[in-house]
Amino acid sequence: MSNTAVATKTSLSDNVYEALQTIGADPAQLAGELSTRSPLTGETLLNLPRATAEDVTTAIDRADAAFRTWRDTPAPVRGNVVKRWGELLTEHKRDLAILVQAEAGKSLSEAEGEVQEMIDICDFAVGQSRMLYGRTMPSERPGHRLMETWHPLGVVGVISAFNFPVAVYSWNTAIALICGDAVVWKPSDMVALSALGAHTLLARAVAECEAPADVHQLVLTDRHAAQRLLDDPRVPLVSATGSTRMGREVGPRVAERFGRTILELGGNNAAIVTPDADLDLALRGIVFAAAGTAGQRCTTMRRLIVHESIAGDLVDKLVAAYRTLTIGDPRDESVLVGPLINRAGHDAMQDALRDAEAQGGTVVTGGGRVLADEYPDAYYVEPAIVTMPAQTEVVRSETFAPILYVMTYSDFSEAIDLHNEVPQGLSSAIFTENQAEAEIFLSAAGSDCGIANVNIGTSGAEIGGAFGGEKETGGGRESGSDAWQAYMRRATNTVNYSGELPLAQGVKFL
Ligand code: UN1
């Protein structure tokens, strides 16, 4: 039996209304056909205007016009806008977190963590605005200088998912803005109010810094209208986060017109636990990564590959830890596991559990819906642990729900093979105190993912590193490190001050 909690707070709509008002997005001005629904209760929050395909084109027109001024603004001056955005996000951290909680169903700590991730990337981007470095290389010709310069790209289309309504968008936007790009943002329409909140604060920062008002555009719209972003040649880069299915549409369509993409798609993240692991530490890392955010992070741990000698013990400990998790309306502060986003999320989980059993698995804890009487229109589930005799088809596909498949290994190389033998390649972890095993995991012959951790779970990456993954995860990198380069174009310049015209490679002509 799991611990459940029902919130006895003031009306959710009132909280949301107040948060929007405090942020400066006047809810009284809003009306339209896009109705926002909370996964906490299933209730409708507010109705917003929905952008049409023509509105998307108009947003691109405006952003493109603003880009022409913005690209000539010195990068450190562009950084001032992002600096101010970060200050406003700090001031309104709680308000924006309330919107994220109401729409994505996170605990307040995780929702505030998401806003903190925005503040962090703003700090990072402000520093980066003074470091858009190009290299100089020695020319092979006397009296010549060879160098590279980085220039703004144009309008960047940002498509973001429901599970991180604002953070992933901000990784793209803070960096794109300091790089001199304009942004058109199409968030998931399931989290439109969070998007409106983040956008309103950026609009204030832009206005206060007297930057071109149209440099960022929010389009609350459906998939169909958003295709304008994929097809418009004035959008040289589309950064899209979502399912592999979505990426299969976005990638080729943008490539068709030689546009670029940054794709952050599905993950099927695993941890290997070796006989030398600190099991208490592993336990805490696994529970947060597998059950936190109700399994709805792209970095959620979905597979556990455990040495056969410790598997029984670890599974027992995990089952005991799962039983202590409080599931329910996260407005109650004791709650650690909130709802799934909607009924489709719940049904996908049930289908996967059925498939897992048909493929030889055993559900050792969780999986069922709870609080159905209290919340008939919201979908709360107990995080599930499923032992699997092999890495079957269901284990190899991503189900966006809290299911942890546990498999065993006897030989370390078998663990690495199992680890890499899935189509996705986002995040990965090893729990071990054995240095050689940790090093092998991080080596070229080890994890094939974009993120590989030692003694840390798969989720909860910091913004300072590049974020993204390989294979069906799409190959894109966002956030820190040198990910900024994808938001700019590189020019190689050769300057001849010799007064002669020697040709490269010693070629003679005329
Ligand atoms: C996502 O789920 O799309 O590493 C992003 C993490 C967070 C970001 C997740 N910093 O879990």
Side-chain angles (χ1 to χ4, degrees), residues 117 161 163-164 167-168 171 241 264 288 296-300 400 426 451 458-463 467:
E117 204 160 337
N163 67 325
F164 270 80
V168 177
W171 302 344
T241 306
E264 200 243 288
F288 172 64
Q296 297 171 113
R297 289 191 189 218
C298 57
T299 50
T300 290
F400 222 58
L426 179 56
I451 299 170
T458 51
S459 65
E462 302 175 15
I463 57 91
F467 185 96

